[in-house]
Amino acid sequence: MSKRIGLLTSGGDCAGLNAIIRAVVRRAEGYGWQVVGIREGTAGLLDRPVRAEEMSSGIFDGTILRMGGTILGTTNKNDPFAYPDGAGGTIDRSDDVVAGYRELKLDALIGIGGDGSMGILRKLAKKGGWNFVGIPKTIDNDVGSTEISIGHASAVNVAVNALDHLQPTAASHNRVMVLEVMGRDAGHIALSSGIAGGADVILIPEIPYRIEAVARHIERVRQGGRNFALVVVAEAVLTESGEPVRQRHASGGTSYGGIGHYIGDRIAATTESEVRVTVLGHVQRGGMPVSRDRLMASVFGVHAVDLIAQGSFDRMVAWQHRQAVDVPLEQAIEHFKAVEPDGALVRTARGLGISFGDG
Amino acid sequence: MSKRIGLLTSGGDCAGLNAIIRAVVRRAEGYGWQVVGIREGTAGLLDRPVRAEEMSSGIFDGTILRMGGTILGTTNKNDPFAYPDGAGGTIDRSDDVVAGYRELKLDALIGIGGDGSMGILRKLAKKGGWNFVGIPKTIDNDVGSTEISIGHASAVNVAVNALDHLQPTAASHNRVMVLEVMGRDAGHIALSSGIAGGADVILIPEIPYRIEAVARHIERVRQGGRNFALVVVAEAVLTESGEPVRQRHASGGTSYGGIGHYIGDRIAATTESEVRVTVLGHVQRGGMPVSRDRLMASVFGVHAVDLIAQGSFDRMVAWQHRQAVDVPLEQAIEHFKAVEPDGALVRTARGLGISFGDG
Amino acid sequence: MSKRIGLLTSGGDCAGLNAIIRAVVRRAEGYGWQVVGIREGTAGLLDRPVRAEEMSSGIFDGTILRMGGTILGTTNKNDPFAYPDGAGGTIDRSDDVVAGYRELKLDALIGIGGDGSMGILRKLAKKGGWNFVGIPKTIDNDVGSTEISIGHASAVNVAVNALDHLQPTAASHNRVMVLEVMGRDAGHIALSSGIAGGADVILIPEIPYRIEAVARHIERVRQGGRNFALVVVAEAVLTESGEPVRQRHASGGTSYGGIGHYIGDRIAATTESEVRVTVLGHVQRGGMPVSRDRLMASVFGVHAVDLIAQGSFDRMVAWQHRQAVDVPLEQAIEHFKAVEPDGALVRTARGLGISFGDG
Amino acid sequence: MSKRIGLLTSGGDCAGLNAIIRAVVRRAEGYGWQVVGIREGTAGLLDRPVRAEEMSSGIFDGTILRMGGTILGTTNKNDPFAYPDGAGGTIDRSDDVVAGYRELKLDALIGIGGDGSMGILRKLAKKGGWNFVGIPKTIDNDVGSTEISIGHASAVNVAVNALDHLQPTAASHNRVMVLEVMGRDAGHIALSSGIAGGADVILIPEIPYRIEAVARHIERVRQGGRNFALVVVAEAVLTESGEPVRQRHASGGTSYGGIGHYIGDRIAATTESEVRVTVLGHVQRGGMPVSRDRLMASVFGVHAVDLIAQGSFDRMVAWQHRQAVDVPLEQAIEHFKAVEPDGALVRTARGLGISFGDG
């Protein structure tokens, strides 16, 4: 029996979303089903007329797989239970979203999002009686119960690429280069890119640091004969006294742009080094997805549609031990995945002589 | 107590070898040990004087992590038990290699290689009483007992990049593009790059194909409204009648360059399509390692030295379920890892409507 | 007064065509004019119904500028005066094309092509009384009267990237790597990529070579202490006795794939070196255009529309001495631009110690 | 007769410096001459013992051509006539530099630098009676009398790459993305990358802007149906009232990081748009040089040595009209090359509908 499946992307965008969309539409067509693409996450269900359209793989000309961003659009205003009322407060508009779903006569919904979006979508699904399947995406890689979330590998790649660019100029000028990377709550991007990009110091929110230890390590590097150092800082890192760095600019609705400069200032103040700071920002979200994100996006998209075929709902697709699996959505949402301070990558970093500022 | 650790790379080179070398030297320095880099695999132990030199991380100026190839050099003449005698036959020169090891006064040896090299090195280790630890590398990803071997991700990336280049020209000219990728015994590169690069047909040695089915699928794509098709073929694929494609050129000591043209010819003969063939060749080995290969190379290099510290020998480092582990070398060598025709990736590919020529 | 401008791409595709298309449409909209995109070069005018559609920049979502290929499609069957009759011969179908132009009620036509296409389009323009303006594109860079043709920089970039991949594997294995690059009549790609990619030998059709000189140079490199060598060969190079290398494969309608293997065989036969050959092929056409091609495509597209506004026809846009200029089409077609054996780049190459096989 | 040639890099580093160094050493070896590499610009001549060493192309293993930065090192403290005295003032140490040159027994000196460095080096050459030849490098492309300076093409490429990453995330979130790029005195990087990267607004110091015009253009883009906009700002741009944006961070000795945020704030304040700001910073200097920079670096390096062979001094190598030429150094220094507000590229940008905020 033919089905109508809704599909939406929610929360911050990342590389690989379009590859998921493509996989969902192609797999659904294999079943003879119709996919309805909903615009801008739940916002498309909230507005009237509902903003959504039927999709067919005929629209994919071979390039969508390779494109960053999401052709469906997305939004950070993704909580209809607490929707901005335009006056600084919030109102509950979940009824509108539930009604929008009904209007589209959907048999099931696939939502692509991070742990925040996943929690909201699950609440909506409970309320509306939706047949819901989730696909994890987040550049931060902090969604639990899955080894891989879409977008992380590409974000790491952008950060590593930045280090590849900063290393030669650091070496040419005898400088310490500080690179602030994304990671709102977890240090995965900083950790992976720091190792792969040749960092000397990696600061992540999971491991408390002291500037004095950072400075000492940089001096040690210099005494070891190398004339430059690379420092990677996750944006979620706090000041030494545990404060978030205050934002200075009205232009940004986010917290990006602070801690890297703070760390850079402190290193400059406590070492003899010339320091330069780069805040990588939104380039980490966009751009062509790397091979791995495209591959896993394809795996997840196909598996999500298969779950609907099996009547398996309230679940999130996941990757574990070389297999596409699925887990209870509840479990995935609860298991926030921070960097394990004793995990394989931290131990590798320490084994390489990288400092976390705690030595 | 201080140790002297030998380090060599064996077999075909790939991206990420230098990142392993760097990790081994850095980790060993953490223990206060000396690494001795042996030139060109076992060839450096076989020659007199032995070709090897002490390494210190002082020689690494920040770029080695990012460089393709191996600064130690390597060779495909890597079996001293059956060494070319220069007259078309072979002789057993394993005694020379064992003596070379002794000459260097090594406490242990880390060998980086694929399953072939690993088997030979293990035999040498048995014969010479070496304390041996293996690190798996292979663009083909066919080493057993580990989810990841170094070099594969970078090779896939090169192949996907080629498909990213072929797709627009295919679409502009209404063509079928055939891309032959590496993979001497297994189809992993073809499978992963085919999915991530948007292939319509993937031919791998693990799944028998018929040209008629390939042609039918290409026609179906065209009838579906798309004016081009992408076909990825693993070099190990045989002709329809099960023969390897004969080589035509004296210049190459390898089998690259055949089957892609055969498949292209057959598609041209059985469809209306204009066909072009690209044999990707050695660009798949070189180039900057991708982030993932650099990360895993760091994990493996550190872990291998840690094994020596623990007195754990005759083992291979491996990656399983987000952890650096180690496995008996014997087991890793025996478990050749072909593409599973029922595995997650093949199922994903079929779910996307990709043909393996068996439909 | 509003105008209708036809736009077509002709001949082999290359990176940057879409950037030209975007610039033409945007500039025309600035004048309030309508652009009609013609499908597959003159083929779109030849078929009935005429294959063409009105374009507006609204269809450009920000990605077209970055995409390889041509959204209009193109064809190598681009001579209506000698059109394949399907029976191995040709017929004159130029009347159909001229009628197609009239049917579309065009005020002017912008044709994007190489010197071959430009000649044909000029003949058609004369016959049909068209107001024609040409924009030069060719990966080969052999169009006269302009310093730059669209697509060349991107093709060079692909070839250099291949050399960046081949160098480390060559060095790891002590090999000579031969890379065959495109260039049907001229050696520009081979020359520029050879210099920028670190080649030791560059063979181009403009400079006769002897294998003996090539072999001698490779030996000299080896005696100088380097263990590898890189050789770049333009596809248009002939055998030592002046013959084109015969094609072996029915799948390819082109001459790619021959001379590189011949050169590799001959080097293997005359030196002690292990040799590997890579034929780069169609990846040189596709892929994202590099910055320079996008920039120049924008310059040319805008200038071509401006010429129509000025009533300047039978001209080709060109780049000379940091200026967008235009030249008589006739002059551009006549001035085939081969590599000057005494030019700046050949002298640079010789100054670097690169051999052209004529030493 | 054999010569000893000094070689130094001065001022900010950029991609392509190592390619110049390689070309100089190779060409000098062709003449049988010795190149002496001086460390960190004139600082290497100023210190005692003089920091310099003889170079041979044997040290170049095939990778130096591809590496960013400068293996000789460089410094921004490059004026020995006004050298920091460590107490906040300056002293004249030019005598030390002149003496250092003499100590090395050099016959000539090749200096690679921007217009600032070139002026200082020329003064030193006059004072010391040096045989001096200059090679222009600057990411800003503002050196006069040459169409090309080394490093600019690579910096533009990094900026375009950033726009390629920002466009999809801008489109996914309906955002205005502001990208601040380098260019201390000139807007060349902003202009070229803005055109090639699909910017809607480009702000450069050569063209005065008003925020009101910027805001109006962004609204127009939105009314035209596009949901995002890209704004590129050169770091040298001032506030609307003509003030430089004050720096906030002790960590940076430069002025990077200001104006982009100012422009973003003002756009957010005057439009309905959600705005995000990225300050690209030092990644623009480093990284692999693009093909063009490597090619031109090779041309310049060879030509500079040839000038010495001809006894032509007090000159700078340059590229004009497809030829390697050389010009009086004095003329090059005087002709600062800003963006011409009526030049080909500004006209192209306007033709594409790009706003400079002056409309």
Side-chain angles (χ1 to χ4, degrees):
Chain A
M1 205 192 64
S2 181
K3 288 190 195 300
R4 275 171 73 81
I5 305 181
L7 176 64
L8 59 80
T9 48
S10 180
D13 75 311
C14 63
L17 296 177
N18 285 327
I20 303 177
I21 293 168
R22 171 182 180 265
V24 166
V25 173
R26 281 191 163 225
R27 184 52 167 162
E29 287 184 351
Y31 284 110
W33 301 349
Q34 177 65 56
V35 174
V36 178
I38 297 161
R39 297 283 313 160
E40 292 176 25
T42 50
L45 294 174
L46 188 149
D47 293 341
R48 292 297 174 277
V50 167
R51 290 184 291 136
E53 50 194 322
E54 302 192 348
M55 305 176 80
S56 91
S57 69
I59 65 163
F60 306 150
D61 60 351
T63 66
I64 189 179
L65 172 69
R66 309 169 211 281
M67 284 167 48
T70 161
I71 55 168
L72 292 176
T74 186
T75 175
N76 289 335
K77 289 189 238 164
N78 55 357
D79 188 355
F81 294 99
Y83 200 78
D85 63 3
T90 62
I91 50 171
D92 183 344
R93 297 198 53 191
S94 57
D95 285 338
D96 294 335
V97 172
V98 166
Y101 180 93
R102 211 174 308 125
E103 234 174 74
L104 289 173
K105 300 186 192 308
L106 301 179
D107 296 299
L109 179 73
I110 295 176
I112 310 169
D115 54 355
S117 294
M118 225 54 105
I120 294 161
L121 288 165
R122 187 165 188 257
K123 249 171 86 182
L124 287 164
K126 291 282 168 221
K127 175 167 187 168
W130 302 351
N131 293 322
F132 181 73
V133 170
I135 298 180
K137 72 87 207 153
T138 160
I139 62 166
D140 291 352
N141 205 29
D142 53 10
V143 175
S145 305
T146 181
E147 295 175 15
I148 288 169
S149 288
I150 305 308
H152 177 64
S154 298
V156 168
N157 187 56
V158 173
V160 169
N161 190 252
L163 289 168
D164 290 350
H165 280 68
L166 292 175
Q167 186 274 324
T169 181
S172 299
H173 280 278
N174 309 315
R175 280 175 181 160
V176 174
M177 287 286 176
V178 176
L179 178 70
E180 180 186 320
V181 300
M182 283 187 167
R184 253 175 330 180
D185 306 298
H188 294 288
I189 296 178
L191 179 57
S192 290
S193 67
I195 296 173
D200 298 289
V201 177
I202 299 174
L203 302 182
I204 56 177
E206 292 88 348
I207 301 180
Y209 72 96
R210 284 164 307 119
I211 282 292
E212 195 260 325
V214 173
R216 209 169 48 227
H217 187 74
I218 288 171
E219 288 306 323
R220 210 158 33 214
V221 166
R222 215 172 277 277
Q223 281 153 25
R226 193 140 51 72
N227 71 327
F228 70 92
L230 301 177
V231 178
V232 178
V233 189
E235 60 170 328
V237 166
L238 303 176
T239 68
E240 244 184 331
S241 53
E243 304 290 316
V245 172
R246 216 90 57 72
Q247 272 191 257
R248 291 168 185 82
H249 304 291
S251 64
T254 75
S255 60
Y256 309 137
I259 190 66
H261 285 289
Y262 167 85
I263 296 289
D265 286 353
R266 303 284 285 117
I267 292 174
T270 55
T271 69
E272 301 286 301
S273 304
E274 205 176 85
V275 182
R276 292 290 182 278
V277 177
T278 302
V279 179
L280 202 47
H282 288 267
V283 294
Q284 288 163 94
R285 297 202 167 278
M288 257 195 192
V290 297
S291 307
R292 187 169 182 72
D293 271 329
R294 295 195 219 169
L295 187 64
M296 287 298 121
S298 303
V299 169
F300 282 179
V302 166
H303 193 58
V305 178
D306 285 345
L307 284 181
I308 293 174
Q310 297 158 23
S312 245
F313 302 113
D314 201 22
R315 300 189 72 81
M316 187 185 81
V317 299
W319 184 254
Q320 291 178 0
H321 208 32
R322 295 174 62 82
Q323 295 297 334
V325 298
D326 48 276
V327 296
L329 199 50
E330 188 174 19
Q331 172 192 316
I333 294 164
E334 277 169 8
H335 278 237
F336 172 78
K337 195 177 70 184
V339 170
E340 295 166 47
D342 278 337
L345 294 190
V346 172
R347 270 184 291 125
T348 293
R350 293 197 194 275
L352 291 169
I354 295 172
S355 168
F356 288 90
D358 63 345
Chain B
M1 204 192 63
S2 181
K3 287 190 195 299
R4 275 171 74 81
I5 304 181
L7 176 63
L8 61 81
T9 47
S10 179
D13 75 312
C14 64
L17 295 177
N18 285 327
I20 303 177
I21 293 168
R22 171 182 180 266
V24 166
V25 173
R26 280 189 163 227
R27 183 54 168 159
E29 288 184 350
Y31 284 110
W33 300 349
Q34 178 65 57
V35 174
V36 179
I38 298 161
R39 297 283 313 161
E40 293 176 26
T42 50
L45 295 174
L46 189 151
D47 293 341
R48 291 299 173 279
V50 167
R51 290 184 292 137
E53 50 195 320
E54 301 192 348
M55 304 176 80
S56 91
S57 68
I59 65 164
F60 306 150
D61 59 353
T63 66
I64 188 178
L65 172 68
R66 310 169 211 281
M67 284 167 47
T70 162
I71 56 168
L72 292 175
T74 186
T75 174
N76 288 335
K77 286 188 239 165
N78 56 357
D79 187 357
F81 295 99
Y83 200 79
D85 63 2
T90 62
I91 50 171
D92 183 346
R93 297 198 54 188
S94 57
D95 285 339
D96 294 333
V97 172
V98 167
Y101 180 95
R102 211 175 306 127
E103 236 175 74
L104 289 173
K105 298 185 194 309
L106 301 178
D107 296 298
L109 179 73
I110 295 176
I112 309 169
D115 55 354
S117 294
M118 225 55 106
I120 295 162
L121 287 165
R122 186 164 190 256
K123 249 169 87 181
L124 287 164
K126 291 284 167 217
K127 175 167 187 169
W130 302 351
N131 293 323
F132 180 73
V133 171
I135 298 179
K137 72 86 206 156
T138 159
I139 61 166
D140 291 352
N141 204 29
D142 54 9
V143 175
S145 306
T146 182
E147 294 174 16
I148 289 169
S149 289
I150 304 308
H152 177 64
S154 298
V156 168
N157 186 56
V158 173
V160 168
N161 190 254
L163 289 168
D164 290 350
H165 280 67
L166 292 175
Q167 186 274 325
T169 181
S172 299
H173 281 278
N174 309 314
R175 279 175 181 160
V176 174
M177 287 286 179
V178 176
L179 178 70
E180 181 186 320
V181 300
M182 282 188 169
R184 251 176 330 181
D185 306 299
H188 293 287
I189 295 177
L191 179 57
S192 290
S193 67
I195 295 173
D200 298 289
V201 177
I202 299 174
L203 302 183
I204 57 176
E206 292 88 348
I207 301 180
Y209 72 95
R210 283 164 309 117
I211 282 292
E212 196 261 325
V214 172
R216 209 168 48 229
H217 187 74
I218 288 171
E219 288 305 322
R220 209 156 35 213
V221 165
R222 214 171 277 277
Q223 282 153 23
R226 192 140 52 71
N227 72 326
F228 70 92
L230 301 176
V231 178
V232 177
V233 189
E235 61 170 330
V237 165
L238 303 177
T239 67
E240 243 182 332
S241 54
E243 303 291 317
V245 172
R246 217 90 58 72
Q247 274 191 257
R248 292 170 186 81
H249 305 291
S251 62
T254 75
S255 60
Y256 310 136
I259 190 67
H261 285 289
Y262 167 84
I263 296 290
D265 286 353
R266 302 283 286 117
I267 293 174
T270 55
T271 70
E272 302 286 301
S273 306
E274 206 175 87
V275 182
R276 292 290 182 277
V277 177
T278 302
V279 179
L280 202 47
H282 287 268
V283 292
Q284 288 163 94
R285 296 202 167 277
M288 257 196 192
V290 297
S291 307
R292 188 169 180 71
D293 270 330
R294 294 195 219 169
L295 186 65
M296 286 299 121
S298 302
V299 169
F300 282 178
V302 167
H303 193 60
V305 178
D306 285 346
L307 285 181
I308 293 174
Q310 297 158 23
S312 245
F313 303 112
D314 200 21
R315 301 190 69 81
M316 186 186 82
V317 301
W319 184 255
Q320 291 178 359
H321 208 32
R322 295 176 60 84
Q323 295 298 334
V325 299
D326 49 275
V327 296
L329 198 50
E330 189 175 17
Q331 171 193 318
I333 295 164
E334 276 169 9
H335 278 236
F336 171 78
K337 194 177 71 182
V339 170
E340 295 165 47
D342 278 335
L345 294 189
V346 171
R347 269 182 293 126
T348 292
R350 293 197 194 276
L352 291 169
I354 295 172
S355 167
F356 288 91
D358 62 344
Chain C
M1 205 193 61
S2 183
K3 288 189 197 298
R4 276 171 74 79
I5 305 181
L7 176 64
L8 60 81
T9 47
S10 179
D13 77 310
C14 63
L17 295 178
N18 285 326
I20 303 176
I21 293 169
R22 171 182 180 266
V24 166
V25 173
R26 282 190 162 226
R27 184 52 169 162
E29 287 185 351
Y31 284 110
W33 301 348
Q34 177 66 57
V35 174
V36 178
I38 298 161
R39 298 282 313 161
E40 294 176 24
T42 50
L45 294 176
L46 187 149
D47 293 340
R48 291 300 174 276
V50 167
R51 291 186 290 136
E53 51 195 322
E54 301 193 347
M55 307 176 79
S56 92
S57 70
I59 65 164
F60 306 149
D61 60 352
T63 65
I64 188 178
L65 174 67
R66 309 168 211 283
M67 284 166 48
T70 161
I71 55 169
L72 292 176
T74 186
T75 176
N76 288 335
K77 287 188 239 165
N78 57 357
D79 187 357
F81 295 99
Y83 201 77
D85 63 3
T90 60
I91 50 172
D92 184 343
R93 298 198 54 191
S94 57
D95 286 338
D96 295 332
V97 172
V98 166
Y101 180 93
R102 213 174 305 127
E103 236 175 73
L104 289 173
K105 299 185 193 308
L106 301 177
D107 296 299
L109 178 74
I110 295 176
I112 310 169
D115 54 355
S117 294
M118 225 56 106
I120 295 162
L121 287 164
R122 186 164 191 258
K123 248 170 89 182
L124 286 164
K126 292 282 168 220
K127 176 167 187 168
W130 303 352
N131 292 323
F132 181 73
V133 170
I135 299 180
K137 71 87 205 156
T138 159
I139 62 168
D140 291 351
N141 204 28
D142 53 9
V143 175
S145 306
T146 181
E147 294 175 16
I148 289 169
S149 289
I150 304 308
H152 176 64
S154 298
V156 168
N157 187 54
V158 173
V160 169
N161 190 255
L163 289 167
D164 289 351
H165 279 68
L166 292 174
Q167 187 273 325
T169 182
S172 298
H173 281 278
N174 310 313
R175 280 176 181 156
V176 173
M177 287 286 178
V178 175
L179 178 70
E180 180 186 321
V181 300
M182 282 186 168
R184 253 177 328 183
D185 305 300
H188 294 287
I189 295 177
L191 178 58
S192 290
S193 68
I195 295 173
D200 298 290
V201 176
I202 299 174
L203 302 184
I204 56 176
E206 291 87 349
I207 302 180
Y209 72 96
R210 282 163 309 118
I211 282 292
E212 197 260 324
V214 172
R216 209 168 49 226
H217 188 74
I218 288 171
E219 288 306 323
R220 209 155 36 210
V221 166
R222 214 172 277 278
Q223 282 153 24
R226 193 141 51 73
N227 71 326
F228 71 92
L230 301 177
V231 178
V232 178
V233 188
E235 60 170 329
V237 166
L238 302 177
T239 67
E240 243 183 332
S241 53
E243 303 291 315
V245 172
R246 217 91 55 75
Q247 274 190 256
R248 293 169 185 81
H249 304 291
S251 64
T254 74
S255 59
Y256 309 136
I259 190 67
H261 285 289
Y262 167 86
I263 297 290
D265 286 353
R266 303 282 287 118
I267 293 174
T270 55
T271 70
E272 302 286 301
S273 305
E274 206 175 85
V275 181
R276 292 289 182 280
V277 177
T278 302
V279 179
L280 202 47
H282 288 266
V283 295
Q284 288 163 94
R285 296 201 167 277
M288 255 194 194
V290 297
S291 308
R292 188 169 181 71
D293 270 329
R294 296 195 218 168
L295 187 65
M296 287 299 121
S298 303
V299 170
F300 283 178
V302 166
H303 192 59
V305 179
D306 285 346
L307 286 181
I308 293 174
Q310 297 158 22
S312 243
F313 302 113
D314 200 22
R315 301 190 70 81
M316 187 185 82
V317 299
W319 183 255
Q320 290 178 0
H321 208 33
R322 297 172 61 83
Q323 295 297 335
V325 299
D326 49 275
V327 296
L329 198 50
E330 187 175 17
Q331 170 193 319
I333 295 165
E334 275 169 9
H335 278 236
F336 171 79
K337 193 176 74 185
V339 170
E340 295 165 47
D342 277 336
L345 294 189
V346 171
R347 270 183 291 126
T348 293
R350 294 196 193 275
L352 292 168
I354 296 172
S355 167
F356 289 90
D358 62 343
Chain D
M1 203 192 68
S2 183
K3 288 189 195 300
R4 274 170 76 78
I5 305 181
L7 176 64
L8 59 81
T9 48
S10 179
D13 76 311
C14 63
L17 295 177
N18 285 326
I20 303 177
I21 294 169
R22 170 182 179 266
V24 166
V25 173
R26 280 190 164 226
R27 183 55 168 159
E29 287 184 353
Y31 284 109
W33 300 349
Q34 177 65 56
V35 174
V36 179
I38 298 161
R39 298 281 314 159
E40 292 176 26
T42 50
L45 294 175
L46 187 150
D47 294 340
R48 292 296 174 278
V50 166
R51 291 185 291 136
E53 50 194 321
E54 301 193 347
M55 306 177 79
S56 92
S57 69
I59 65 164
F60 306 150
D61 60 355
T63 66
I64 188 178
L65 173 68
R66 309 169 210 281
M67 284 167 49
T70 161
I71 56 169
L72 291 176
T74 186
T75 175
N76 289 334
K77 288 188 237 166
N78 57 358
D79 187 357
F81 294 99
Y83 200 78
D85 63 3
T90 61
I91 49 171
D92 183 344
R93 297 198 54 190
S94 57
D95 285 339
D96 294 334
V97 172
V98 166
Y101 180 95
R102 211 174 306 125
E103 235 175 73
L104 288 173
K105 299 185 192 311
L106 301 178
D107 297 298
L109 178 74
I110 295 176
I112 310 169
D115 54 355
S117 294
M118 224 55 105
I120 296 161
L121 288 165
R122 185 164 190 259
K123 248 170 87 181
L124 286 164
K126 293 281 167 219
K127 175 168 186 166
W130 303 352
N131 292 324
F132 181 72
V133 171
I135 299 179
K137 72 87 206 155
T138 160
I139 61 166
D140 292 351
N141 204 29
D142 53 10
V143 175
S145 306
T146 181
E147 294 174 16
I148 289 169
S149 288
I150 304 308
H152 176 63
S154 298
V156 168
N157 187 55
V158 173
V160 169
N161 191 254
L163 290 167
D164 289 349
H165 280 68
L166 293 175
Q167 186 273 325
T169 182
S172 298
H173 281 278
N174 309 315
R175 280 176 180 157
V176 173
M177 288 287 177
V178 176
L179 178 70
E180 179 185 321
V181 300
M182 283 188 166
R184 254 176 329 183
D185 305 298
H188 294 287
I189 295 177
L191 179 58
S192 290
S193 68
I195 296 173
D200 297 290
V201 177
I202 299 174
L203 302 183
I204 56 176
E206 291 88 348
I207 302 180
Y209 72 96
R210 284 163 308 119
I211 282 292
E212 196 259 326
V214 172
R216 209 168 46 230
H217 188 74
I218 288 172
E219 289 306 323
R220 208 156 35 212
V221 166
R222 215 172 278 278
Q223 281 153 23
R226 193 139 53 70
N227 71 327
F228 70 92
L230 301 177
V231 178
V232 177
V233 188
E235 62 171 327
V237 165
L238 303 176
T239 67
E240 244 184 330
S241 53
E243 302 291 316
V245 172
R246 216 92 55 73
Q247 273 191 257
R248 294 168 182 80
H249 305 291
S251 64
T254 75
S255 59
Y256 308 135
I259 189 67
H261 286 289
Y262 166 84
I263 297 289
D265 286 354
R266 304 282 287 114
I267 293 174
T270 54
T271 69
E272 302 286 299
S273 305
E274 207 176 86
V275 181
R276 292 291 182 277
V277 177
T278 302
V279 179
L280 202 47
H282 287 269
V283 294
Q284 288 163 95
R285 296 201 167 279
M288 255 195 196
V290 297
S291 308
R292 189 169 179 72
D293 270 330
R294 296 195 218 167
L295 187 65
M296 286 299 122
S298 303
V299 169
F300 282 178
V302 166
H303 192 60
V305 179
D306 284 346
L307 285 181
I308 293 174
Q310 296 157 23
S312 245
F313 302 113
D314 199 23
R315 302 189 69 82
M316 186 185 82
V317 299
W319 183 255
Q320 291 177 0
H321 208 32
R322 297 173 61 84
Q323 294 298 335
V325 300
D326 48 276
V327 296
L329 200 49
E330 187 174 19
Q331 170 193 320
I333 294 165
E334 277 170 9
H335 278 236
F336 171 78
K337 194 178 72 185
V339 170
E340 295 164 47
D342 279 335
L345 294 190
V346 171
R347 271 183 290 127
T348 292
R350 294 197 193 274
L352 291 168
I354 296 172
S355 167
F356 288 90
D358 62 344

